[in-house]
Amino acid sequence: MSGPSWRAGQRELDLVLGDITRFAAEAIGNAANARLAGGGGVDGAIHRVGGPAIMEECRRIRGGCPTGQAVVTTAGNLPARYVIHAVGPVWRGGEAGEAGLLASAYENTLGLAAARGVRTLALPSISTGVYGYPLELAAPIALGTVADFLRQDSSLERVTFVLFNAETMAVYAKALEALT
Ligand code: AR6
């Protein structure tokens, strides 16, 4: 189900309710962990649907991926060319640099996508599941970071947040309204 969207010139930021593993985009963002070890949530779904080729490539990435950073792998069987694994912060109350790390996880994801000439990117709501980042605080950071990037970048045409449940969609929709 599609939700509201935001535009800057030819660039678009949309919200969609759904499962990111079924979404057609050139690159798909993952909410991974620093060991790139797989897990539950969106990470579990991406590895399950994408198949073992994604984990094989994750294992070859020495040192994993520090919090706030991102790495690219194949998308295996997913309808995308790349998966961009970003590691968001675990929520520790807000005084441990969480906001900066969350923004940086998105910025690095966007940077890797742009560097590969990706035009359409789907993103999950990083850190707001198992990692416990409060949705109301995460949504403006997620959307604001993508909007800032789209204002300057000329490679990405459309970034779509694929949100898994109605509550996440409602909070993101409100934050998107505040952005516009
Ligand atoms: N499509 C889109 N969004 C999804 C999907 C899906 N198929 N499945 C879940 N979500 P989480 P985190 C939403 O927990 O908080 C993993 O074990 C979910 O509703 O996946 O960054 C990793 O291995 C929520 O809104 O990621 C890490 O160890 C959002 O995705 C850890 O969890 C993020 O929730 C990362 O935790």
Side-chain angles (χ1 to χ4, degrees):
M1 199 183 85
S2 12
S5 60
W6 170 97
R7 292 188 76 95
Q10 297 304 304
R11 332 247 152 243
E12 201 171 320
L13 166 52
D14 317 303
L15 309 184
V16 165
L17 186 63
D19 177 346
I20 204 166
T21 64
R22 301 174 69 94
F23 192 83
E26 283 174 52
I28 290 198
N30 183 19
N33 54 65
R35 291 180 301 125
L36 300 175
V42 67
D43 195 10
I46 283 175
H47 283 286
R48 203 159 48 241
V49 180
I54 300 176
M55 186 50 79
E56 273 162 32
E57 214 173 315
C58 283
R59 282 203 198 96
R60 286 201 295 268
I61 299 171
R62 297 210 172 266
C65 178
T67 303
Q69 303 290 309
V71 296
V72 186
T73 67
T74 172
N77 304 323
L78 287 163
R81 288 168 63 199
Y82 308 107
V83 172
I84 306 178
H85 307 262
V87 182
V90 175
W91 179 255
R92 300 187 197 282
E95 304 289 318
E98 291 94 329
L101 289 167
L102 184 62
S104 147
Y106 283 111
E107 269 159 21
N108 286 309
T109 300
L110 293 157
L112 287 171
R116 279 162 179 74
V118 165
R119 286 160 302 169
T120 56
L121 170 69
L123 292 173
S125 174
I126 297 170
S127 283
T128 65
V130 175
Y131 281 1
Y133 207 118
L135 255 184
E136 283 76 7
L137 301 180
I141 294 172
L143 295 171
T145 304
V146 173
D148 283 349
F149 195 91
L150 287 177
R151 283 192 192 98
Q152 327 157 0
D153 173 72
S154 58
S155 154
L156 278 160
E157 290 168 8
R158 190 168 68 241
V159 177
T160 307
F161 277 89
V162 182
L163 306 168
F164 205 47
N165 55 51
E167 187 205 354
T168 309
M169 173 59 106
V171 174
Y172 269 72
K174 209 167 152 199
L176 189 66
E177 227 174 87
L179 196 75
T180 47

